[in-house]
Amino acid sequence: MKAMVYRGPYKIRVEEKPDPKIEHPGDAIVRVELAAICGSDLHLYHGMIPDTRIGHTFGHEFIGTIERVGPAVQNVKAGDRVMVPFNIYCGSCFFCARGLFSNCHNVNANATAVGGIYGYSHTAGGFDGGQSELVRVPFADVGPAVIPDGISDENALLLTDAFSTGYFGAQLADIAEGDTAVVFGAGPVGLAAARSCWLMGAGRVIVVDYLDYRLEKAETFAFAETVNFGQVGDIVRRLKRATDGLGADVAIDAVGAEADGHVLQHITSAKLKMQGGSPVALNWAIDSVRKGGTVSVMGAYGPLFSAVKFGDAVNKGLTIRTNQAPVKRQWPRLWEHIRSGAVTPSDLITHRIPLDHIADGYHMFSSKLDDCIKTVITPA
């Protein structure tokens, strides 16, 4: 099969790899029809995530058709067209029983924190991902779902991570009716979070970024006010002035490990790999939210130390809520929002390219070229 293959930071290729096989009675093999490049894939591409091994195939957002299943699989069958959550989980461990699918204890040898993730280094189990023609799907009875009627392929694809994660970030923020929410980052997840804040009852949504084309998307897709942090002297002071001097009720960090805005932090984390990620956006969230407010974090960070203003968070009495999204938990509500016309996740897609050109797609997304927000990959 053809697959995207990692050859080192900023180096990816499309190569022939052996077709995946059924390794466990609960496995399925899925022929990928659509995949996507995620902002967190760029952390791998840039060499930010430990134990990203040569030869690994990325991609945790994909949909496709089941080609075959193991003998224990009962809930899906060959020929079913399925959407696959980025979480790999068993469905029965201590954490899965509590709905914490992203923290499954049975799918990752490093599962003291995250569970399994497709295409996301050996810190997340080392499973090959969906930027390929075929992919092995473990625990096929609990992960994939048949794409329901009324849900387009591209909307289904966006629910396998980006939009579901943004929606979950708004859930974590515990928004009360009328709250002011500030979202840091206008990538796909941040845009999804900003749009979802309205669904949670927010009375005002502000999005912070430094790229004008992404801020324009925040205005048209998420109906948000916008602030370009590159054009203001002090972003925290600007946000405090915009909220009667108190700060926002909730703040959402949808940026993560490679946040811009502070040269030293960016160099020590993104360039020198001395931190698990640049904490600029997270620190802005802590500083700009009001006392007693809530900070929601979905931005991806590595496992190393990061210079977070935790003392300020304690002294302000903040609630900080974090996790990788348990994607499948969000689907029933999001399917209904899509059917009702409340959201159209596929509106985030700006580029569609074949798998053979995926290196160009990564370069374009990484370098912020051609107003790229979300890229869909077609393996065929």
Side-chain angles (χ1 to χ4, degrees):
M1 69 170 183
K2 287 183 185 178
M4 166 269 166
V5 174
Y6 177 71
R7 291 298 174 194
Y10 296 89
K11 296 177 183 178
I12 62 172
R13 305 284 187 270
V14 175
E15 299 180 4
E16 288 289 331
K17 292 182 73 170
D19 289 356
K21 298 179 180 179
I22 299 289
E23 298 179 15
H24 183 277
D27 289 350
I29 303 299
V30 171
R31 180 164 294 276
V32 178
E33 296 175 2
L34 292 177
I37 301 175
C38 180
S40 55
D41 288 329
L42 294 184
H43 302 327
L44 300 167
Y45 178 66
H46 296 155
M48 284 288 298
I49 304 300
D51 207 9
T52 303
R53 301 184 188 181
I54 301 301
H56 196 54
T57 295
F58 299 167
H60 53 270
E61 298 175 289
F62 60 93
I63 66 170
T65 299
I66 293 179
E67 288 216 331
R68 57 190 183 277
V69 298
V73 177
Q74 298 180 358
N75 294 338
V76 291
K77 63 185 183 303
D80 284 346
R81 299 187 67 252
V82 295
M83 48 199 293
V84 183
F86 79 81
N87 320 112
I88 302 170
Y89 60 99
C90 72
S92 59
C93 71
F94 177 92
F95 300 100
C96 288
R98 287 157 177 78
L100 297 172
F101 305 142
S102 55
N103 306 112
C104 177
H105 213 54
N106 288 331
V107 294
N108 181 7
N110 297 306
T112 52
V114 74
I117 300 175
Y118 292 99
Y120 215 74
S121 99
H122 280 65
T123 61
F127 298 90
D128 270 343
Q131 291 169 7
S132 58
E133 292 181 317
L134 296 165
V135 61
R136 172 180 166 251
V137 174
F139 295 101
D141 266 342
V142 295
V146 174
I147 299 173
D149 293 339
I151 306 299
S152 72
D153 288 355
E154 289 188 342
N155 280 332
L157 175 66
L158 269 291
L159 295 191
T160 63
D161 178 15
F163 203 92
S164 295
T165 293
Y167 186 80
F168 177 64
Q171 283 183 324
L172 285 181
D174 200 20
I175 294 168
E177 186 173 356
D179 274 355
T180 294
V182 174
V183 179
F184 291 92
V189 171
L191 292 168
R195 181 66 177 266
S196 298
C197 286
W198 298 113
L199 301 175
M200 308 295 168
R204 187 181 183 192
V205 180
I206 304 169
V207 174
V208 177
D209 204 289
Y210 72 102
L211 294 167
D212 287 335
Y213 75 88
R214 300 209 303 193
L215 291 170
E216 290 171 7
K217 191 70 170 180
E219 294 170 359
T220 59
F221 176 80
F223 314 119
E225 301 170 48
T226 58
V227 180
N228 187 324
F229 71 76
Q231 297 177 6
V232 299
D234 185 324
I235 184 61
V236 173
R237 184 173 296 176
R238 172 66 175 271
L239 291 170
K240 288 287 185 71
R241 285 204 306 267
T243 52
D244 298 325
L246 300 177
D249 299 293
V250 301
I252 298 174
D253 171 9
V255 182
E258 296 183 85
D260 286 298
H262 189 294
V263 174
L264 180 60
Q265 294 281 21
H266 190 75
I267 290 174
T268 57
S269 58
K271 302 302 180 185
L272 299 180
K273 314 294 191 296
M274 295 172 64
Q275 297 189 68
S278 169
V280 174
L282 179 53
N283 285 335
W284 283 347
I286 289 170
D287 286 342
S288 62
V289 78
R290 65 168 171 79
K291 289 178 278 190
T294 299
V295 174
S296 164
V297 186
M298 308 103 62
Y301 291 88
L304 301 176
F305 158 87
S306 291
V308 177
K309 291 185 171 182
F310 194 70
D312 288 354
V314 171
N315 292 332
K316 292 178 72 174
L318 303 186
T319 298
I320 299 178
R321 304 185 70 193
T322 73
N323 207 349
Q324 298 280 350
V327 167
K328 199 170 182 179
R329 271 175 37 193
Q330 322 310 319
W331 285 352
R333 284 163 292 193
L334 286 171
W335 288 335
E336 291 308 309
H337 285 314
I338 290 169
R339 289 188 180 110
S340 71
V343 296
T344 306
S346 61
D347 286 347
L348 292 170
I349 297 169
T350 54
H351 293 75
R352 298 165 179 84
I353 61 175
L355 177 62
D356 286 337
H357 296 168
I358 196 170
D360 295 332
Y362 269 88
H363 173 67
M364 177 173 59
F365 193 19
S366 173
S367 301
K368 311 296 191 292
L369 303 176
D370 198 32
D371 293 355
C372 180
I373 290 176
K374 189 67 174 177
T375 299
V376 169
I377 305 299
T378 53

